[in-house]
Amino acid sequence: MVERQIARRGITSPRILDAFLDVPRHLFIPESQHLFAYQDGPLPIGKGQTISQPYIVAYMTKHLNLEGEERVLEIGTGSGYQAAILGKLAGEVHTIERHPSLAESASRLLRDLGIENIHVHVGDGTKGLPDFAPYNAIMVTAAAPEVPTPLLDQLAEGGRLIMPVGGRIGQVLHLYQRREKGVQREDLAPVAFVPLIGDHGWSSP
Ligand code: SAM
């Protein structure tokens, strides 16, 4: 998976590839899906949600430019896989999930794996997590029509936020960077994510 789906497609940072080698993806998906754990696509994880395609996890991670000391916020814990990758590359990760059962199983698994720098929260991630703000990096792993304003407000100076923005069916990955003079946006690639449901996202699934 790491060589064929990630490195061969141009993501060659040894830190990122090592993070993927360190986190066994099959542990984050239901046993019925284990056969497909290292294939090139998203997989169901329950509650109508998915674990993202490995390449997309790597691609979004790469654009956060993590060096090791950052405080990161992830919206949409899901299985906990993306959080585990971020935890390998940053100092501290807060991840928030709206489905309590997904948050609970992700939290248990991360604890069992001995990963201690990830904190799983339950709630509406479109509001961010002001108690621990500001964040050096924010990743949203569900799609909304617009970037939630509270997330931009919780981004530190120089910080990066990546998320899929667009309609219900397809979106574009947007990368926002907070600079001294405001927030800059770059449009990266077309994607298809499940909806971000909440006060600053879609109002219904
Ligand atoms: N990052 C996850 C992983 O590695 O498995 C995959 C995330 S899945 C594509 C999107 C997740 O976002 C779902 O688990 C969904 O329940 C969650 N979600 C949607 N709206 C949310 C919100 N407002 N706050 C927190 N989580 C939300």
Side-chain angles (χ1 to χ4, degrees):
M1 178 189 92
V2 174
E3 192 188 314
R4 291 193 185 164
Q5 299 171 33
I6 300 176
R8 268 195 217 165
R9 287 180 182 149
I11 298 176
T12 53
S13 148
R15 286 188 77 237
I16 293 183
L17 298 181
D18 283 350
F20 277 85
L21 289 171
D22 269 3
V23 181
R25 189 170 186 255
H26 68 276
L27 297 181
F28 291 81
I29 58 177
E31 247 180 84
S32 60
Q33 301 291 322
H34 276 188
L35 254 184
F36 314 111
Y38 296 95
Q39 290 189 2
D40 191 14
L43 290 169
I45 55 169
K47 295 279 168 199
Q49 305 304 321
T50 52
I51 179 173
S52 305
Q53 179 191 9
Y55 174 70
I56 291 293
V57 176
Y59 183 82
M60 289 177 77
T61 302
K62 173 184 112 162
H63 281 90
L64 293 183
N65 284 359
L66 299 173
E67 292 182 348
E69 298 298 323
E70 297 84 354
R71 181 183 297 158
V72 180
L73 174 66
E74 183 203 17
I75 315 300
T77 312
S79 67
Y81 181 70
Q82 173 74 76
I85 298 290
L86 294 171
K88 297 275 173 194
L89 297 165
E92 180 186 347
V93 178
H94 291 273
T95 178
I96 180 162
E97 170 57 52
R98 66 185 280 271
H99 287 293
S101 60
L102 292 179
E104 196 180 311
S105 44
S107 178
R108 195 178 327 117
L109 176 56
L110 294 166
R111 197 178 53 232
D112 289 351
L113 290 174
I115 303 177
E116 288 178 353
N117 62 342
I118 302 177
H119 310 278
V120 181
H121 307 262
V122 177
D124 175 6
T126 68
K127 297 176 188 163
L129 206 53
D131 287 357
F132 302 95
Y135 302 94
N136 308 105
I138 299 179
M139 182 186 289
V140 187
T141 63
E146 282 174 17
V147 60
T149 315
L151 298 185
L152 287 179
D153 292 344
Q154 291 170 35
L155 196 59
E157 176 93 33
R160 295 172 154 242
L161 182 160
I162 191 163
M163 79 169 281
V165 177
R168 290 262 183 186
I169 307 292
Q171 310 89 28
V172 173
L173 270 182
H174 286 183
L175 177 67
Y176 300 86
Q177 278 185 262
R178 179 168 288 293
R179 307 252 193 228
E180 214 177 311
K181 288 186 184 149
V183 176
Q184 259 181 9
R185 186 183 111 193
E186 190 183 335
D187 293 2
L188 297 175
V191 285
F193 272 80
V194 295
L196 181 72
I197 314 293
D199 282 5
H200 302 270
W202 295 101
S203 54
S204 64

